[in-house]
Amino acid sequence: MLEIAPEGQEWLVDAHGCEPACLRSEAALRRLFERIVRELGLRTLGEPAWHAFSGEGGVTGLQMLTESHLACHTYPEHGFAAFNLYACRPLPEWPWRERLAEALGAREVSVRTLARGRA
């Protein structure tokens, strides 16, 4: 018997043409995570984990959620940031392009949405 998994959705978001200084700023990325969580009505599990790479390196962040997780990896040397949000419940659309342009200066944003857990 095939068991159906809970329905979920995942966003894979690539932001190109970002300001390198923003991609090195843990504070800017923390504010962005807080905005995503607040505007989508997500529920956090503890504090996010952050790692800022030395020198001109980027930042990696992970926020565990009751719905699953939100993660980012930034590459200032390429003006690139990658985001992943997985939720085990339906969420409303979120204006990734506008928000990443505001927060990181992104000039081009690609948003892919995947349905998860459906047989």
Side-chain angles (χ1 to χ4, degrees), residues 51-100:
H51 178 76
F53 292 89
S54 63
E56 298 295 308
V59 177
T60 291
L62 174 65
Q63 173 69 68
M64 290 177 45
L65 306 167
T66 61
E67 296 85 0
S68 191
H69 70 269
L70 170 63
C72 76
H73 306 281
T74 70
Y75 303 86
E77 68 275 21
H78 301 291
F80 174 72
F83 293 85
N84 175 256
L85 171 60
Y86 177 67
C88 62
R89 65 178 172 88
L91 295 176
E93 290 296 317
W94 197 69
W96 289 98
R97 288 170 183 84
E98 294 83 358
R99 297 293 191 264
L100 296 180

